């Protein structure tokens, strides 16, 4: 049975998910939203059972151990059998080379015998077109080519090519290397290349984490979360995907199977904000470039909730019939209908996503006044739509209303434009945006408050509660100790909380009432408790949430409260952001700890 106890390796061009037995169960090529050439996480076509995998099978296998090299994205798996053991090192090359960042869509596997005489079989069975197409195979003395209609992969190895092609079991008497990537000849011998790639990649990650401004407490959790967030970024454009997978259900048999391999302006803002808190500002610069392209290409200033990592606007949603889905729970979807949605919170997320760039003096390429003038178009749009119905941040597909969180994020766009204008010496513009922000704020306070519930509610003149209301303090709309926020928080806890977990909303959506808690909402609750001065409660809940991570320190989107089982796409950037934000909020200061 599949589960989400998966390691992630990648290099900001592609990523692979690897289970505890070192099987590559998911890897999209040549980029994060590409064709899953390995897809056993979602099963295989009925006529191609056992296809879409990349594994090293150990004869008489007994158990395994798995961990990351400290402060890196290099994954080590040790397989133990009755007659021997081997260590498998997996990574994607990433380092600075020839005055540029080097991050090819390449997976390196290094196999080393560590005891006895392990007998292994290598199964390398890529498929194309989401499992529909069997590759053509050609080979030479040290390589195998897997030829698809739109992509060709080349495996270069110092293992016997015949053994790999025929999946023959053989004795692993000495280390072997397997480099899988583009259809190109290596410039050096495979062993030398693999060793050089590993050494330089290890050095890159350790230097990157060395520069992070981490908190005193929960350091390992924060470092792993930061690395995972970086692995969810697509460096060629600066886009940030919500997760690396598609169609992992939010709950068993729920049909809530979505493709998250795209860049939501909402999710990406939270990622950038979390990395900024760790002083990883280069990602903000890359994302600023991507976002300003979004703004420049927006027709009639309309910003979609989600785009492709290459700034693709159309992401038509379709079902892949040949893949049965995670644990057989289809459908498997590619694309996401949300690109067609009207979600007004996007304008706030765009402005919030770039606001720090206008104020931060560390940037190599700071934004200009012309960038600000272009960004103002987002403010004009936010002011025009703040009281208009939309699908909301939870992307409801069958109904629309004036969502409170959307209005609040429109306010945030206006508020931050005022601050930026003041900072760059535009006082008249600053006053204009401030007046608009105050007008929106008055509307939210008057129309989103429910006397009956003693709380802000999900929509203007509405009646239901929504965990997104906790973001009102997060973005500075109201202080956490404001009596209205205190009352709202109490009502949300009473209605949506289950132990340390928090559900998204109480009203049924297109698929009924949610069955699983949404991890990011649980972290919002922890942050709200800390802001309210209830830090001991916050720390207790935070520790409980950290215990819900998998063995390697990562989280998916959702959790089944009754069983503690992970559901939803993986790894979920929202969840990893929550780890960083709460650790930074709750940790003791270094000065007081040492």
């Amino acid at each position: 049975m599949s589960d989400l106890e998966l390691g992630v390796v990648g290099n900001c061009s592609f990523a692979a998910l690897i289970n505890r037995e070192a099987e590559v169960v998911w890897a999209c090529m040549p980029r994060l939203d590409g064709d899953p050439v390995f897809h056993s996480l979602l099963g295989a076509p009925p006529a191609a059972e056992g296809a879409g995998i990349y594994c090293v099978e150990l004869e008489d296998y007994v158990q395994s151990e798995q961990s990351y090299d400290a402060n890196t994205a290099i994954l080590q798996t040790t397989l133990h059998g009755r007659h021997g053991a081997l260590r498998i090192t997996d990574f994607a090359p990433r380092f600075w080379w020839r005055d540029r960042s080097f991050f090819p869509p390449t997976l390196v596997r290094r196999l080393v015998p560590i005891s006895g005489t392990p007998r292994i079989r290598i199964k390398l069975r890529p498929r194309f077109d989401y499992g529909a197409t069997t590759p053509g195979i050609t080979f030479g003395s040290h390589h195998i080519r897997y030829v698809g209609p739109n992509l060709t992969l080349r495996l270069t190895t110092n293992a016997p090519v015949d053994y790999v092609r025929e999946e023959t079991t053989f004795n692993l008497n000495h280390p072997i290397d397997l480099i899988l990537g583009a259809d190109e000849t290596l410039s050096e011998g495979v062993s030398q290349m693999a060793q050089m790639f590993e050494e330089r990649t290890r050095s890159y990650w350790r230097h990157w984490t060395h520069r992070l401004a981490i908190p005193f407490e929960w350091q390992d959790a924060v470092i792993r979360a930061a690395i995972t967030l970086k692995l969810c970024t697509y460096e060629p454009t600066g886009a940030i995907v919500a997760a690396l997978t598609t169609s992992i259900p939010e709950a068993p048999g729920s049909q809530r199977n979505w493709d998250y391999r795209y860049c939501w302006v909402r999710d990406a803002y939270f990622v950038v904000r979390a990395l900024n808190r760790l002083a990883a500002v280069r990602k903000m610069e890359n994302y600023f470039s991507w976002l300003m392209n979004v703004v420049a290409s927006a027709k009639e200033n309309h910003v979609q909730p989600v785009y492709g990592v290459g700034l693709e606007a159309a992401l038509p949603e379709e079902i892949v019939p040949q893949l049965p889905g995670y644990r057989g729970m289809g459908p498997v979807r590619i694309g996401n209908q949300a690109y067609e949605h009207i979600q007004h919170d996007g304008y706030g997320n765009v402005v919030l996503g770039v606001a720090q760039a206008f104020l931060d003096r560390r940037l190599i390429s700071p934004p200009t006044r012309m960038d600000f003038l272009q960004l103002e178009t987002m403010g004009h749009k936010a002011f025009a739509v703040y009281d208009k119905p939309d699908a909301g941040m939870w992307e409801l597909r069958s109904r629309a209303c004036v969502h409170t969180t959307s209005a609040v994020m429109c306010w945030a766009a206006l508020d931050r434009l005022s601050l930026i204008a003041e900072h760059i010496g535009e006082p008249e513009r600053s006053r204009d945006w401030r007046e608009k922000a105050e007008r929106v704020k008055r509307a939210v306070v008057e129309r989103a408050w429910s006397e009956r519930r003693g709380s802000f509610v999900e929509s203007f003149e509405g009646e239901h509660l929504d965990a997104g209301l906790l973001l009102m303090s997060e973005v500075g709309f109201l202080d956490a100790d404001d009596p209205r926020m205190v009352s709202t928080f109490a009502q949300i806890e009473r209605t949506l909380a289950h132990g340390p977990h928090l559900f998204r909303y109480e009203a049924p959506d297109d698929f009924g009432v949610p069955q699983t808690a949404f991890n990011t909402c649980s972290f919002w609750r922890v942050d709200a408790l800390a802001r309210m001065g209830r830090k001991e409660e916050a720390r207790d809940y935070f520790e409980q949430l950290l215990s819900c991570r998998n063995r390697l320190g990562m989280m998916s989107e959702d959790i089944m409260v009754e069983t503690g089982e992970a559901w939803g796409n993986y790894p979920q950037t929202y969840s990893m952001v929550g780890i960083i934000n709460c650790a930074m909020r709750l940790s003791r200061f270094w000065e007081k700890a040492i």
Side-chain angles (χ1 to χ4, degrees), residues 453-487:
R453 298 298 297 264
S455 168
F456 287 106
V457 288
E458 67 167 353
S459 59
F460 284 14
E461 289 84 39
E463 58 177 326
H464 296 294
L465 295 176
D466 169 6
L469 296 166
L470 297 176
L471 295 177
M472 297 174 80
S473 294
E474 173 85 10
V475 301
F477 184 86
L478 287 176
D479 292 337
D481 59 0
D482 184 290
R484 293 164 294 185
M485 288 306 303
V486 172
S487 180

Side-chain angles (χ1 to χ4, degrees), residues 4-37:
L4 297 180
E5 286 286 347
L6 304 173
V8 181
V9 300
N11 60 5
C12 305
S13 69
F14 91 106
L17 305 185
I18 300 172
N19 72 11
R20 71 194 86 191
E21 285 82 38
E23 178 187 345
V24 180
V25 300
W26 185 257
C28 296
M29 292 278 192
R31 66 183 202 179
L32 298 175
D33 61 349
D35 192 3
V37 295

Side-chain angles (χ1 to χ4, degrees), residues 376-391:
E376 282 190 311
T377 62
M378 297 293 97
H380 293 305
K381 186 71 172 184
F383 188 64
V385 301
Y386 77 88
D387 58 352
K388 304 296 188 297
D390 73 344

Side-chain angles (χ1 to χ4, degrees), residues 103-353:
F103 49 101
T106 298
L107 178 64
V108 180
R109 312 202 83 175
R110 310 198 72 193
L111 280 55
V112 179
I114 58 176
S115 69
T117 305
R119 286 178 56 76
I120 66 168
R121 177 167 60 166
I122 298 170
K123 289 183 178 179
L124 180 52
R125 303 175 181 175
R127 301 275 292 185
F128 298 104
D129 297 329
Y130 287 82
T133 302
T134 303
I137 296 178
T138 66
F139 59 92
S141 56
H142 295 289
H143 75 268
I144 305 173
R145 298 171 68 245
Y146 301 88
V147 182
N150 302 304
L151 175 68
T152 296
L153 297 175
R154 177 187 289 248
L155 174 75
T156 307
T157 181
N158 48 16
V161 167
D162 300 86
Y163 291 170
V164 178
R165 283 196 305 113
E166 301 298 329
E167 298 183 358
T168 302
T169 301
F170 65 97
N171 293 333
L172 184 66
N173 294 317
H174 54 79
I176 62 174
D177 299 292
L178 303 106
I179 300 178
L180 180 69
D183 186 24
E184 300 172 353
T185 303
L186 297 183
S187 60
E188 299 180 39
V190 64
S191 180
Q192 294 86 347
M193 186 72 80
Q195 181 175 346
M196 183 268 285
F197 279 175
E198 182 179 354
E199 291 173 353
R200 292 194 176 190
T201 299
R202 180 176 289 107
S203 176
Y204 168 82
W205 284 110
R206 289 184 174 169
H207 279 85
W208 186 79
T209 57
H210 176 261
R211 296 191 296 270
L212 296 178
I214 61 174
F216 174 73
E217 297 180 90
W218 305 294
Q219 293 183 37
D220 289 340
V222 168
I223 289 171
R224 183 52 50 199
I227 291 173
T228 304
L229 290 181
K230 188 171 177 67
L231 293 179
C232 291
T233 66
Y234 184 66
E235 186 160 312
T237 64
I240 304 169
V241 299
L244 297 174
T245 59
T246 178
S247 303
I248 308 297
E250 294 179 12
S254 65
Q255 302 287 302
R256 300 173 187 264
N257 300 18
W258 315 117
D259 192 348
Y260 277 10
R261 299 170 299 156
Y262 307 114
C263 187
W264 272 260
V265 294
R266 178 190 311 110
D267 301 48
Y269 154 64
F270 283 100
V271 171
V272 168
R273 181 175 177 273
L275 291 176
N276 284 348
R277 297 185 74 177
L278 298 176
V281 296
R282 180 59 181 163
K283 190 52 56 189
M284 175 175 62
E285 290 184 279
N286 291 344
Y287 182 61
F288 176 85
S289 176
W290 186 86
L291 260 188
M292 293 309 292
N293 274 305
V294 168
V295 172
S297 61
K299 295 180 180 178
E300 297 180 356
N301 299 328
H302 167 65
V303 169
Q304 296 176 190
V306 57
Y307 294 84
V309 299
L311 210 64
E312 295 85 0
L315 303 172
E317 188 174 296
E318 58 184 285
I319 291 175
V320 177
Q322 62 269 19
L323 294 180
Y326 180 74
R327 301 188 187 179
M329 298 177 189
V332 171
R333 291 186 172 95
I334 58 174
N336 200 298
Q337 186 197 51
Y339 83 94
E340 299 178 313
H341 288 188
I342 302 299
Q343 296 178 30
H344 298 324
D345 65 317
Y347 305 104
N349 288 307
V350 168
V351 177
L352 287 169

